Every structure is written in C-alpha cells, then in structure tokens.
C-alpha cells in the first residue's frame, strides 16, 4: 500500500526560498553552503543548507538531492540552546515526518504503510535531532555536544523512530582539502548509537566535511564558484 502524505498544518518551511532569500533584518547567519555527497568514493548527490539565528530561534534548512531518488527538504527550528522545537522532512510532495515540542514532550506525526502514525518522546530524550545522511545535522550536533555535560546526550533519529545516545569522543587540529586548497579545521570524533563518525569545522564553526564510515558516506564542502 502506498504511503499517504501527511497533512500540512501550515508549518512546512519553504526550503528552496529560505536557502536563497536574504535573511531578515537582525538575523545572524551561522553557516550556509553546498556539500557534495559521496558513497564509496563516488559522487551521488548534493546538500545545500543554511543555518541562522533570528530572535529567540535558531533555524536550519536543507535540500538534499541524490541520484535516482526524490529530493528531500528538511527544516528544523530550535531554541537558543539548540533544543528542537519544530521539525519536518518532505520528500517530493509527501511529508515523511513532522514534529513539535510541547512543555514536557516532543510529538511526531509520520507516514506509515497504513496512513498516519504518532509517537511521543519526553523532552530529555531529544537533546538534538539527527537524520543519518543529513550532513548539516552533525554541525548542530557538534555544537550541542560541546556544551553538554561530559559531551553526552540523547538524540532522536525521527525517521527511524528511535532515541539513541550520542557522545563526543575526541577532537583535534586537522585540515580539509577543498578544491585545490587546504583549509585548517578542527576534527570532532563522535559516536551516535554506537557508530563512529567524524565532523570537520573551520575556525568560524562552519561545516567542511562529514564522514560516516558505517554508511561509507562522505559529505564535503564544494569549492566556492568563481
């Protein structure tokens, strides 16, 4: 049976517009870029993303295009401590999952083979949101883990429907080759649900590279055109 698209409640983010439009007056852009996605060393797609702070919220959006798959658009809104408030993943014209935080819990609505389903998590189970294959989520995860007690917290994998532990296992100076040049970076080693991965940020905390060995996947910042 085909999955039925979730009904939009007017919270869906116009991702393509947000990626390209000027930010509102007073907003602070934290990062924006174009990542090339590789699997087994072969380029398979791209991720264009933007993260910005506006008033009391931090917003992150991305459009992910993988060969022979419908494009996905991802929108996340967080409070000043980067705790998730609203979330949505849209594939084609279908909303795969949408979520909203209430006083003590986060409620998600998602597509199932039979229609729509619901799932709730206590707020403490959702210290961050991570979707494997969504590279900019690891930028946000690093920022959150650096401030977390002992570099540990529980994160939610919304499409998988699981809350799992995450921790910062190491960090140190490194560099990333982008185009024909080398960029100084800090490498952060993470463990999410027992699987290791690495994230590289530059001196301004901008995302340069993500390597997920278990998925044989790499996202690396594309050279600036022109």
């Amino acid at each position: 049976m085909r999955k039925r698209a979730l009904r939009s409640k007017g919270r869906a983010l116009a991702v393509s517009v947000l990626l390209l439009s000027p930010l509102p007056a007073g907003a602070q852009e934290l990062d924006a870029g174009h990542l090339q996605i590789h699997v087994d060393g072969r380029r398979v797609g791209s991720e264009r993303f933007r993260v910005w702070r506006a008033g009391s919220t931090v917003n992150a959006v991305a459009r992910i295009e993988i060969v022979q798959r419908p494009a996905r658009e991802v929108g996340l809104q967080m409070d000043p401590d980067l705790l998730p408030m609203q979330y949505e993943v849209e594939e084609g014209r279908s909303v795969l999952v949408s979520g909203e935080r209430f006083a003590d819990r986060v409620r998600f609505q998602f597509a199932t083979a039979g229609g729509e389903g619901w799932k709730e998590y206590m707020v403490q189970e959702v210290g961050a949101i991570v979707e494997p294959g969504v590279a900019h989520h690891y930028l946000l995860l690093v920022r959150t883990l650096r401030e977390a007690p002992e570099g540990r917290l529980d994160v939610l994998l919304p499409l998988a429907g699981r809350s799992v532990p995450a921790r910062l296992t190491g960090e140190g100076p490194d560099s990333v080759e982008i185009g024909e040049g080398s960029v100084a970076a800090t490498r952060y080693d993470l463990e999410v649900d027992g699987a290791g991965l690495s994230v590289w940020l530059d001196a301004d905390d901008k995302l340069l590279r993500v390597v997920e060995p278990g998925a044989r996947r790499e996202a690396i910042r594309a050279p600036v055109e022109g």
Side-chain angles (χ1 to χ4, degrees):
M1 183 180 299
R2 292 183 60 189
K3 293 183 179 180
R4 183 159 58 94
L6 300 180
R7 295 185 299 273
S8 172
K9 296 184 178 178
R11 296 191 305 268
L13 295 172
V15 170
S16 297
V17 174
L18 291 170
L19 286 171
L20 300 173
S21 300
L23 291 176
Q28 175 192 8
E29 187 160 83
L30 302 178
D31 197 0
H34 175 205
L35 304 170
Q36 298 174 348
I37 301 172
H38 299 80
V39 174
D40 288 330
R42 180 172 59 91
R43 185 174 175 182
V44 298
S46 66
E47 176 177 335
R48 295 184 183 274
F49 74 97
R50 191 178 208 178
V51 182
W52 73 99
R53 187 185 305 274
S56 61
T57 64
V58 178
N59 307 277
V61 297
R63 180 177 174 87
I64 302 165
E65 298 180 338
I66 303 294
V67 294
Q68 298 182 337
R69 295 182 191 175
R72 280 190 177 180
E73 294 189 343
V74 182
L76 173 61
Q77 187 177 80
M78 297 155 281
D79 69 15
D81 296 320
L82 300 185
L83 292 174
M85 296 171 61
Q86 292 187 0
Y87 183 65
E88 187 167 281
V89 178
E90 184 173 341
E91 184 177 87
R93 299 181 64 182
S94 298
V95 178
L96 301 184
V97 62
S98 63
E100 185 172 6
R101 189 176 93 197
F102 297 93
D104 62 347
R105 66 196 62 220
V106 183
R107 190 181 196 196
F108 284 86
Q109 182 185 9
F110 52 89
T112 71
E116 298 174 4
W118 302 85
K119 195 165 185 178
E120 290 188 340
Y121 302 85
M122 300 306 295
V123 165
Q124 57 267 30
E125 296 179 279
V126 192
I129 280 179
V130 172
E131 296 286 8
V134 180
H136 78 280
H137 280 179
Y138 294 111
L139 162 67
L140 300 169
L141 181 57
V142 166
R143 284 173 169 256
T144 305
L145 283 171
R146 288 188 313 205
E147 303 300 322
E150 300 181 349
R152 298 171 181 264
L153 50 77
D154 288 330
V155 303
L156 183 67
L157 314 180
L159 288 176
R162 296 189 296 129
S163 177
V164 302
R167 65 188 182 105
L168 177 63
T169 60
E171 64 179 273
D174 204 344
S175 62
V176 176
E177 300 295 324
I178 297 180
E180 298 181 354
S182 179
V183 179
T186 299
R187 170 177 167 161
Y188 296 90
D189 295 320
L190 313 181
E191 187 178 90
V192 178
D193 195 23
L197 65 138
S198 296
V199 181
W200 286 257
L201 306 183
D202 71 9
D204 295 319
D205 261 359
K206 296 186 183 299
L207 181 62
L208 299 178
R209 186 185 183 205
V210 177
V211 174
E212 302 173 77
R216 305 187 302 277
R217 181 168 49 225
E218 175 189 27
I220 188 164
R221 200 160 189 122
V224 176
E225 297 179 357

